[in-house]
Amino acid sequence: MADPFAISLRAWPAQDFSKETLPSLISRINEQRGSFRSITESKLEEEIQAVDTSESSLEDQTTALSGIDSQDVKTRREEVSTAREEILKQVAQAYSESAHALDFVSLLLTTKTPRQAEITMSAFLKQSLPLGCLDTDVVQIHQKSEAEKQSEELVSVGWKLQSLDSVANSLLKSATRLEEEIERETKYWGQVLAVKEHGWSLCRLPREKHTLGVRYGFAEGKILSHLAGRLELTTHTAHSDFHDRGLAALRRDADGNVDLDRGIRSSKDRVLRVRVLNQGKATGSHGEVPDHVFDDVPVETLIMNARNSIFDEELHHELHREARNYTSHGIRCIDDRILLPYTDEKEIEINLLSSTKDEPFTDVDLSDNLVAGSIAISLRILLSHAHRQNLRRRSLPPPRITENKIPRPIYTILRPIVENLQHRSATKSLQKFLNQVTETLLAAGLNLQFDEPTSPYSLKKPLNTTSPSVSITEAFINALTTPLQSSITVHLPSGLTTIKLEVHTSLQQPFSGTNLQSSILLSQPLSTIAGMPQSMQSTSPTAIEDHVLHLIQLDILSLVASSHDAGDNWMIVSPHAGQLGRTNRNTGISDRCSISVGKDHLVSHWQRRGRGLNLEGTQRWQSSTMENYNESQARGLLATIREVFKDSKM
């Protein structure tokens, strides 16, 4: 369809002066030159020369312009084309608006002069609307009375006053809200500043650039903190699973306080609990989840609890990894609990608590609270020490690149604890055995003495601090985690022989457990003990106890044979059977005495043969703590032997 509206932008055609009439030419000359009197031939020649000069300069300019880049010409053409299109667009818009106005006026006039108005109407309007559908009326303006005018003025003033009052109230509310907002902001940034002053690292959240966060996870540093009786040497390079979780957002709540947003994964505080169980009943416990009942808990405390929580979670994770390698030593993993053997009746339970409401901390005065607390603190210190060792390994030159992935090393945390528990149990068992034997021999009038066990930690030696990278604290912990060794010196009743009992405990290869060793230090060259092996090792406490009892028995035989308090001429007949004997050559009477030593009893069996005599008897001594002693039991072994075998009617 052709465009109904077209416009040409061509210039008006130039006038052909050759066809101009003489009157017209004379009038044009009079308009341009004035009178003919001022026109001379010389002036006309000068004007002709001036025109030629201007034409030559114009040709020069044209030649100069011809050197313009064709690109500029193209750009100019595009600008002209764009301007033309814009003009056409505006002209079309003006035509459309004027056509609509004409249709409106024509439709309005159809009620008055339909034939004339129909001529100016467009075909589309004729098809769309019937003639005479639009009309006008003259409305008389109502003349308001003075009372109505005054009422309207009052209403207007009232609305203005109400609007002003509303604006004033809005401004007051905005000022109050702004003041409250300033107070909340001041409170929030004051708490944030307190967090910064306590040494916590503040940063932007990686995915929320406009949110402030605090990094409470363990980076490579050294912090020694005390919180609620908890000692932590925080020199950490935590595992990536826990290092990435050590970032929380410091959001502002409705009251302006700092809300520590730790995310869904770390929203609850957890703590590692250590309990001492005696047949399933707790006799000692350490570890309680902080209960944030009050709303005024400082944000620094919340951050510290979050840091301790993530530390205990990593500790529990590492303990489970290590516990799987020591199942042969009685360590068990049941669900999230780790059970360590302690004594014959007791065991150590380690688990991770998220709330104390299900299992409340029933008694704070349990007998084994000190043991549980010591184990809990030791576990945390050992994890910190493992972090420092991990940092030192990463500081070394990297190993050779291989196709096999290097496994993450298992931290040594449980091993020192289990070694200490086993060593302590073995040492106490040996002490208990020696105490029973001492009481039994004391009841028999014999004196057995032993020294206190030596400390298993070689802290008197100079700490290895030759390396500048090893601190005194690390050297101290290294000294505490070495294989344990204690010794007990036992002085036998004769006073001539000394036994040294040593307890070695180590879970490292090639040793794996507790090794007991008995050594004879001093002895007479001709004594019965001199013929015994100078050293004896065993992993069984019963074997060492039997060996010590046998040495005590041999020492008592030597004491009886060399002491005048038990009579003269006694000889050791069978040392390993504990038999003594003597024979009177004049009378032919033969005496025999056998001595048996146990940890809770000493038995002497005697016999007398010859010249019609066949007498025998038994005397038993028990621990002095036992009751029902008779008069003969009150006498010692030497006095009893002397009394039984004295030269009388017997």
Side-chain angles (χ1 to χ4, degrees):
M1 180 177 179
D3 191 357
F5 176 76
I7 186 171
S8 177
L9 295 180
R10 293 180 181 179
W12 290 100
Q15 185 177 1
D16 189 4
F17 294 104
S18 61
K19 297 179 181 181
E20 189 175 4
T21 60
L22 181 61
S24 155
L25 177 61
I26 293 173
S27 63
R28 188 161 59 87
I29 292 173
N30 289 330
E31 290 177 0
Q32 294 180 0
R33 299 287 182 174
S35 176
F36 280 93
R37 296 176 182 178
S38 60
I39 300 176
T40 61
E41 185 177 359
S42 60
K43 289 184 179 180
L44 293 176
E45 290 180 354
E46 290 177 0
E47 290 181 2
I48 293 173
Q49 291 178 359
V51 171
D52 294 338
T53 304
S54 61
E55 289 180 355
S56 62
S57 62
L58 182 61
E59 291 179 357
D60 295 338
Q61 292 179 0
T62 305
T63 304
L65 290 176
S66 63
I68 298 177
D69 192 2
S70 60
Q71 185 68 26
D72 295 339
V73 175
K74 183 179 180 181
T75 304
R76 181 61 179 169
R77 288 178 181 174
E78 292 178 354
E79 292 177 356
V80 172
S81 177
T82 304
R84 180 178 179 275
E85 292 177 358
E86 184 66 24
I87 293 174
L88 291 176
K89 186 185 297 184
Q90 294 180 2
V91 170
Q93 183 178 359
Y95 174 77
S96 176
E97 292 177 356
S98 61
H100 291 164
L102 179 60
D103 285 342
F104 176 78
V105 175
S106 300
L107 183 63
L108 184 62
L109 294 176
T110 54
T111 57
K112 307 298 182 182
T113 57
R115 291 180 177 272
Q116 297 176 359
E118 186 180 0
I119 297 173
T120 58
M121 290 178 61
S122 62
F124 177 78
L125 184 61
K126 293 177 182 180
Q127 296 175 1
S128 301
L129 296 175
L131 300 178
C133 65
L134 184 63
D135 195 5
T136 59
D137 290 328
V138 178
V139 180
Q140 293 291 335
I141 300 175
H142 175 69
Q143 298 295 329
K144 297 180 181 179
S145 63
E146 293 296 330
E148 292 178 349
K149 292 181 180 179
Q150 187 176 4
S151 177
E152 289 181 356
E153 289 179 358
L154 292 176
V155 172
S156 176
V157 171
W159 276 108
K160 290 179 181 179
L161 292 176
Q162 186 176 359
S163 300
L164 291 174
D165 188 31
S166 177
V167 170
N169 292 335
S170 299
L171 291 175
L172 291 176
K173 290 181 180 179
S174 299
T176 304
R177 185 173 64 254
L178 181 60
E179 184 178 357
E180 294 176 353
E181 186 70 17
I182 291 174
E183 291 179 356
R184 287 192 290 265
E185 284 291 328
T186 304
K187 187 176 182 181
Y188 171 78
W189 288 108
Q191 295 182 6
V192 171
L193 181 60
V195 171
K196 180 66 176 178
E197 291 176 349
H198 279 75
W200 298 104
S201 176
L202 302 180
C203 62
R204 292 181 179 180
L205 294 184
R207 298 183 180 179
E208 300 180 33
K209 298 298 183 181
H210 300 285
T211 304
L212 191 63
V214 58
R215 189 174 298 279
Y216 61 86
F218 300 105
E220 298 171 0
K222 184 165 61 177
I223 303 173
L224 186 64
S225 63
H226 298 265
L227 178 61
R230 298 175 63 179
L231 173 64
E232 297 180 2
L233 178 63
T234 57
T235 303
H236 302 282
T237 306
H239 186 237
S240 60
D241 293 343
F242 300 93
H243 176 72
D244 297 339
R245 292 167 52 189
L247 184 62
L250 297 178
R251 306 188 188 277
R252 198 194 72 179
D253 60 7
D255 298 330
N257 296 317
V258 173
D259 183 15
L260 189 66
D261 185 6
R262 295 159 53 184
I264 300 176
R265 193 175 178 186
S266 303
S267 58
K268 294 183 179 180
D269 287 336
R270 295 186 176 184
V271 67
L272 190 76
R273 183 180 66 174
V274 179
R275 293 198 302 173
V276 181
L277 302 180
N278 187 356
Q279 297 180 356
K281 183 179 179 180
T283 60
S285 180
H286 182 277
E288 182 178 4
V289 177
D291 192 6
H292 301 154
V293 178
F294 305 101
D295 296 334
D296 56 349
V297 178
V299 64
E300 299 85 3
T301 304
L302 298 178
I303 297 174
M304 182 68 73
N305 292 337
R307 191 195 69 165
N308 294 336
S309 176
I310 195 173
F311 181 80
D312 284 355
E313 289 182 36
E314 181 184 5
L315 176 58
H316 185 259
H317 174 73
E318 295 296 337
L319 289 178
H320 264 279
R321 293 184 65 226
E322 186 183 8
R324 299 187 187 101
N325 296 331
Y326 295 111
T327 54
S328 59
H329 296 278
I331 300 177
R332 295 176 295 161
C333 295
I334 302 176
D335 296 334
D336 65 335
R337 299 185 305 157
I338 302 175
L339 300 176
L340 311 179
Y342 182 34
T343 61
D344 295 339
E345 299 85 10
K346 296 180 180 180
E347 60 182 357
I348 306 296
E349 180 194 58
I350 303 174
N351 64 332
L352 193 65
L353 286 183
S354 58
S355 176
T356 56
K357 296 180 180 179
D358 297 335
E359 298 182 61
F361 192 67
T362 56
D363 193 357
V364 296
D365 296 326
L366 299 176
S367 58
D368 292 328
N369 279 351
L370 181 60
V371 176
S374 301
I375 293 176
I377 294 175
S378 300
L379 290 174
R380 294 182 174 93
I381 293 177
L382 289 172
L383 178 58
S384 302
H385 182 61
H387 284 163
R388 173 53 68 90
Q389 290 181 334
N390 189 26
L391 172 61
R392 182 168 288 108
R393 283 194 298 267
R394 293 195 303 108
S395 302
L396 297 175
R400 184 178 58 185
I401 299 177
T402 59
E403 296 180 355
N404 299 327
K405 183 179 179 181
I406 300 177
R408 188 165 64 92
I410 297 177
Y411 294 156
T412 303
I413 304 175
L414 271 181
R415 193 191 72 195
I417 302 297
V418 176
E419 288 178 350
N420 278 271
L421 293 178
Q422 290 186 0
H423 189 82
R424 182 178 180 182
S425 177
T427 305
K428 282 192 172 183
S429 177
L430 195 57
Q431 278 186 287
K432 183 179 180 180
F433 162 73
L434 293 176
N435 284 327
Q436 290 179 339
V437 175
T438 300
E439 293 177 357
T440 301
L441 296 183
L442 186 62
L446 303 176
N447 187 18
L448 178 70
Q449 297 180 353
F450 62 93
D451 300 336
E452 290 294 327
T454 60
S455 174
Y457 311 109
S458 57
L459 298 180
K460 294 183 179 180
K461 298 180 181 180
L463 296 177
N464 183 17
T465 58
T466 56
S467 176
S469 60
V470 179
S471 62
I472 296 179
T473 305
E474 290 182 85
F476 176 77
I477 298 177
N478 289 331
L480 296 180
T481 54
T482 54
L484 305 178
Q485 178 179 351
S486 298
S487 62
I488 301 176
T489 302
V490 182
H491 304 279
L492 298 185
S494 65
L496 302 176
T497 304
T498 303
I499 303 175
K500 184 177 181 181
L501 302 178
E502 295 180 349
V503 182
H504 302 266
T505 304
S506 175
L507 299 185
Q508 302 180 18
Q509 298 296 333
F511 304 101
S512 183
T514 301
N515 186 27
L516 303 174
Q517 180 177 355
S518 173
S519 303
I520 302 174
L521 299 181
L522 300 175
S523 178
Q524 289 183 343
L526 300 179
S527 64
T528 55
I529 298 181
M532 295 291 294
Q534 297 299 309
S535 179
M536 184 261 187
Q537 294 184 3
S538 177
T539 57
S540 173
T542 304
I544 291 295
E545 291 176 2
D546 294 341
H547 179 70
V548 172
L549 291 175
H550 186 62
L551 293 179
I552 294 174
Q553 176 179 311
L554 295 179
D555 185 77
I556 293 176
L557 293 178
S558 300
L559 177 62
V560 173
S562 61
S563 176
H564 296 286
D565 296 337
D568 299 329
N569 302 324
W570 284 105
M571 299 181 61
I572 301 176
V573 178
S574 178
H576 298 290
Q579 292 184 0
L580 295 166
R582 67 179 181 180
T583 301
N584 192 335
R585 296 181 180 180
N586 297 326
T587 60
I589 297 176
S590 175
D591 297 330
R592 292 289 184 271
C593 179
S594 61
I595 299 174
S596 175
V597 181
K599 64 179 180 180
D600 57 354
H601 66 275
L602 189 150
V603 180
S604 173
H605 182 75
W606 53 270
Q607 292 180 350
R608 171 165 282 189
R609 299 286 189 271
R611 298 185 64 179
L613 295 176
N614 187 10
L615 303 176
E616 63 179 336
T618 302
Q619 181 65 43
R620 183 182 181 89
W621 289 270
Q622 294 180 341
S623 174
S624 59
T625 58
M626 303 184 69
E627 300 177 354
N628 301 325
Y629 284 120
N630 53 33
E631 183 178 355
S632 62
Q633 288 176 323
R635 295 194 300 266
L637 174 64
L638 300 181
T640 301
I641 294 176
R642 183 182 182 89
E643 182 67 24
V644 170
F645 294 105
K646 66 180 180 180
D647 293 332
S648 61
K649 294 180 181 180
M650 296 178 60

